[in-house]
Amino acid sequence: MTERQKLYEGKAKILYASDDPAVLVSYFKDDATAFNAQKRGQILDKGRMNCAIATHLFQILAAQGIPTHWIETTSDREMRVQTVTIVPLEVVVRNFAAGSLCQQTGIPLGTELAPPLVEFYFKNDDLGDPLLTRDRIRAMDLASDNQVDAIICLTEAINGHLQDFFQRCQITLVDFKLEFGVNGQGELLLADEISPDTCRLWDQTKTDPKERILDKDRFRQDLGQVADAYQEVLQRVLAQVSPN
Ligand code: UDP
């Protein structure tokens, strides 16, 4: 068997070419990074858990008419996805205040944000993923005005579907990060992944502010039981009726 071609290795995933140029294989690793990769480690079985969680969430969103890059999941760590050109924006949705929002604005942790905030960050590690404005996106030519409008529209719809879904899991969707890409047909698709690496998820059955954390903040803040938290999310997500 010929060695498959590695196209890109990121912090949490590897992208391989497939026999079809319109399709890539996304492999989920156990590697974890935080604080712009200054903190590095591994979370046991994270790749398998995130692949399963992301698969389920992509299916749910696709069933609601959201265009995504996901095609099929082919093994416990791999999915086939549409080849896209990534729009170099990290789109962050905040339903409750946490993380950098609290640090930068002083808004207290857990404050409900109604309506939710939709923010853009420049996907650029060297610059530390700075916060963007629409004017900056235009000045830097990172995306067209129409693309930004379409991204906001899709993001708000995705947030609604994910909030409903996690509510059924007794999990509060605090905030999350999305990435979008454009395929060979010029269609804008949800790309990358949605998982406890990219979301803040709080267990509604717990009141203790540290105990309730079910996401990568356990790794960022050295809270322990990181893999257990991801496993808990996976179990609750899979316990929901499959979208198909
Ligand atoms: N996030 C992400 N990748 C990034 C930055 C943020 O997935 O490079 C997610 C993060 O997990 C959280 C949300 O986006 O769910 C908001 O993150 P924030 O801006 O508060 O930054 P952080 O506190 O993680 O530095």
Side-chain angles (χ1 to χ4, degrees):
M1 204 176 105
T2 52
E3 179 95 339
R4 60 187 175 171
Q5 193 192 353
K6 189 197 277 192
L7 298 178
Y8 173 79
E9 178 154 7
K11 293 171 206 150
K13 293 188 294 299
I14 304 172
L15 280 178
Y16 293 99
S18 77
D19 47 13
D20 177 349
V23 175
L24 301 179
V25 174
S26 180
Y27 174 91
F28 285 66
K29 302 192 288 183
D30 287 347
D31 297 348
T33 62
F35 311 120
N36 203 9
Q38 287 171 46
K39 181 179 166 79
R40 290 171 183 275
Q42 292 227 319
I43 300 171
L44 185 68
D45 242 6
K46 175 172 81 76
R48 186 187 58 77
M49 296 189 281
N50 278 0
C51 184
I53 293 166
T55 296
H56 202 82
L57 296 177
F58 279 136
Q59 284 180 310
I60 280 164
L61 292 172
Q64 298 291 338
I66 302 290
T68 85
H69 74 156
W70 179 82
I71 300 168
E72 61 175 340
T73 294
T74 45
S75 79
D76 61 358
R77 284 173 184 266
E78 283 184 0
M79 52 176 70
R80 283 160 54 83
V81 299
Q82 290 193 49
T83 304
V84 293
T85 304
I86 289 285
V87 180
L89 300 174
E90 299 200 339
V91 184
V92 169
V93 181
R94 300 180 188 276
N95 295 312
F96 294 87
S100 66
L101 180 70
C102 298
Q103 282 154 22
Q104 291 171 12
T105 65
I107 297 174
L109 178 69
T111 305
E112 186 169 7
L113 302 162
L117 308 192
V118 177
E119 300 177 333
F120 295 98
Y121 294 82
F122 183 27
K123 195 171 147 59
N124 184 315
D125 285 341
D126 293 340
L127 295 174
D129 295 349
L131 181 65
L132 295 172
T133 60
R134 275 194 85 129
D135 284 344
R136 286 187 186 187
I137 293 171
R138 201 176 294 122
M140 295 164 74
D141 206 15
L142 297 178
S144 69
D145 275 359
N146 284 345
Q147 264 180 337
V148 174
D149 287 338
I151 286 172
I152 292 172
C153 190
L154 275 176
T155 297
E156 288 174 348
I158 291 165
N159 187 36
H161 298 311
L162 291 181
Q163 276 188 305
D164 288 349
F165 177 76
F166 279 114
Q167 190 63 32
R168 293 203 294 280
C169 301
Q170 290 191 285
I171 289 173
T172 300
L173 179 60
V174 175
D175 62 24
F176 58 97
K177 185 260 308 180
L178 300 176
E179 292 184 28
F180 292 88
V182 179
N183 69 8
Q185 285 75 52
E187 294 162 334
L188 183 70
L189 307 178
L190 175 64
D192 195 47
E193 68 179 280
I194 309 175
S195 72
D197 271 10
T198 63
C199 302
R200 285 195 171 92
L201 303 168
W202 289 353
D203 186 346
Q204 294 175 355
T205 71
K206 301 254 169 67
T207 48
D208 181 272
K210 290 212 163 90
E211 263 184 52
R212 70 184 172 184
I213 294 172
L214 293 176
D215 56 70
K216 201 163 87 174
D217 272 351
R218 298 205 76 81
F219 171 77
R220 291 189 188 98
Q221 300 174 29
D222 288 319
L223 297 177
Q225 293 174 298
V226 187
D228 292 346
Y230 281 59
Q231 181 62 33
E232 182 67 30
V233 174
L234 175 60
Q235 269 170 9
R236 292 199 203 179
V237 163
L238 294 185
Q240 295 301 311
V241 179
S242 169
N244 301 313

